[in-house]
Amino acid sequence: MQPHSPWRFADFRTLFTGSALSHLGTNIGYVAVPLIAVAALDASPGQVGALATLSTLAFLLIGLPAGAWVDRMRQRRVLIGADLARALLFASVPLAWWLDALTLGHLYAVVLLNGCATVFFDVASQSALPQLVDREALVDANAAMMSLMAASNVAGRGAGGGLVQLLTAPVAVLGTAVAYLASALRLTAIRGAGLPADRRPRARLRTQIAEGLRHVLGNGELRALALTAALSNLGSQIINTMLPVLFYRQPGLGAGALGLYWAAGGAGLLLGARSARPVAERFGYGRALGLAGLCLAPAGLLVPLVDRGAGLWIAGGGWVLAMFKVGMDNVLGVSLRQRMTADSLLGRMNATFRFLLTGALAVGAAVSGLLGELVGVRATLWVGGAFLATAFLPVFLSPVRTRRELPQQRREPAISAP
C-alpha cells in the first residue's frame, strides 16, 4: 500500500463507510423531499424555494458557533448524535403521511432541524479527518471523501428518483432514516477523534468565533477559496431549487429523469475528485484550480437549455462539466485550507467555510423561489447558470493561482485571553 494512502488507517476506513451511509440517506432525501412538496402537497415555486432555504438556513443561524462548540467537544460523539437526530426527523415524514397528517409546515420543521444536525456532522467530520490520517495522506483522504460524496450523488439521487417513481416520495424518505441510523451505528467503531481539538485555556465563545473569521477572511488565499466556492454554491442552488418544479411539470420528464440528471452531476463530481491529485501534480495546485475554472466553469451556461430530447443531453453535459470543476475545487481547496490551519482552529475554520458556503445555498434557494414566482422557472435557471459560469474568478485573480505546492506545516495561533 502506498505511503500516502489513507486506507492504512482503520479510523479513516470507519469514517469513510459511516459517511457513505450518511451521504446515501442525504441524497435519497434530496430528491424525495421536494417531490413530496410538489406532488403530494401541491407546493408552488415559492414554497419549494422556502423548503430549500430552510434546509440550509441552520448554517447561517448556528454555523459559526458550531465550529467553536465542535472544537470543545468529542467529535466522535458529535457525529453519532447528529446521525441519530437526522434518522428520527426523517422517520417522522412517512409516519405523518400514513396518518394523513403530513403538511408543508411539518416538512419545513424537518428540513430546518435536519440542517442543524448536519451543521454539526459536517464540521465534526472535516475537523476529525486530519486527526485520523497523517499529513502525507491528507490530499488522498480528501479526494476519497469527495469521491464518496460524488458517488453518493450518483447512487443516492438515482435511487431516490427510482424509489419515488416506484414507491412514492414519502416511502422513499424512510430509506433516508434507515441510512442515517446505519451510519450512526457504524461510527461507534471510531477510536480516534475522541478528544476536543482545542485543548487551550477556554476563551469566550465570541472570541473563539472571531478567531475563526479572522483566520479565513484575513488570509487572501482562504478568502478567495471561500468566495469562489460560495458563488458556485449560489449558482448551483438557484438551479437545483427549480429543477424539481421543471421536471415534474414538463411533459416527458419526471422524477426518474430528475434523479438521473442529478446522478450525472454526481458522476462529474466523482471524475473531478479523482482527477484532482494528478492534475495538481502536473500543473501545480493553484494553477489546477485556475485552469479548471477558466476551461470548465462557462459550461454552466448550458444548464438552462434543459428540455426534452437534445436539450436534456446538452444541459446534462454542461452540468457534468460544471460539477467536474466543483469536484476538483473541493479536493484541492479543502486540502489547502486544512494545511493552512492549526489543529486547534480546524473546527472554527471549517465552520466559517460552511457558514459562507452553505449560507450561499440558503440565499440561492430563497432567490430561486422568489425569481421563480416573479420571472418564471426558465429565467431563474439562466441566473443560476450565470453565477456558475463566473464563480471561478476570485480564485483565478488571487495568489492561489500561483501556488504549486501545499503548505508543509500548520502553525499554532496565539492563545486567546480568557
Side-chain angles (χ1 to χ4, degrees), residues 348-373:
R348 281 162 286 167
M349 178 276 292
N350 285 318
T352 300
F353 266 84
R354 298 302 291 176
F355 172 79
L356 296 171
L357 273 54
T358 314
L361 294 179
V363 172
V367 168
S368 184
L370 179 62
L371 290 176
E373 294 282 359

Side-chain angles (χ1 to χ4, degrees), residues 71 208 211-212 215 341-350 413:
D71 279 341
Q208 290 186 301
E211 285 180 347
H215 175 64
T341 302
D343 287 341
S344 57
L345 265 173
L346 280 170
R348 281 162 286 167
M349 178 276 292
N350 285 318

Side-chain angles (χ1 to χ4, degrees), residues 87-317:
L88 289 172
L89 287 167
F90 278 100
S92 74
V93 174
L95 179 61
W97 180 68
W98 289 328
L99 295 174
D100 198 25
L102 184 62
T103 64
L104 270 174
H106 187 146
L107 284 184
Y108 288 157
V110 166
V111 299
L112 177 61
L113 294 174
N114 173 71
C116 293
T118 300
V119 169
F120 284 95
F121 187 93
D122 286 358
V123 172
S125 177
Q126 288 192 345
S127 300
L129 181 61
Q131 302 177 50
L132 302 183
V133 301
D134 59 27
R135 295 188 178 188
E136 289 72 22
L138 184 59
V139 174
D140 282 353
N142 281 316
M145 296 300 287
M146 187 60 220
S147 299
L148 168 63
M149 184 184 302
S152 298
N153 285 356
V154 176
R157 296 183 186 183
L163 287 173
V164 170
Q165 200 96 356
L166 293 173
L167 303 175
T168 73
V171 177
V173 170
L174 185 59
T176 294
V178 171
Y180 283 138
L181 178 60
S183 174
L185 294 175
R186 175 58 178 150
L187 291 171
T188 59
I190 288 181
R191 292 293 172 258
L195 296 175
D198 191 352
R199 303 181 184 90
R200 298 175 298 151
R202 292 284 173 83
R204 288 184 297 179
L205 187 65
R206 66 181 182 183
T207 302
Q208 290 186 301
I209 292 171
E211 285 180 347
L213 284 169
R214 283 196 301 271
H215 175 64
V216 173
L217 300 180
N219 182 294
E221 291 179 283
L222 293 179
R223 186 170 60 245
L225 289 169
L227 186 55
T228 279
L231 290 173
S232 293
N233 280 5
L234 182 66
S236 63
Q237 186 73 342
I238 289 173
I239 290 170
N240 285 333
T241 300
M242 284 298 105
L243 284 181
V245 179
L246 178 67
F247 273 74
Y248 182 75
R249 295 177 179 172
Q250 181 79 13
L253 297 177
L258 176 61
L260 291 174
Y261 186 87
W262 273 333
L269 281 172
L270 177 60
L271 292 172
R274 301 312 300 170
S275 301
R277 186 183 185 98
V279 172
E281 289 178 346
R282 172 67 177 83
F283 295 102
Y285 284 83
R287 191 177 299 172
L289 286 168
L291 289 175
L294 182 65
C295 298
L296 300 176
L301 292 174
L302 298 176
V303 175
L305 300 176
V306 62
D307 206 337
R308 291 171 294 173
L312 182 61
W313 289 98
I314 293 171

Side-chain angles (χ1 to χ4, degrees), residues 42 59 124 158 170 172 339:
D42 197 28
F59 281 90
R339 290 286 287 270

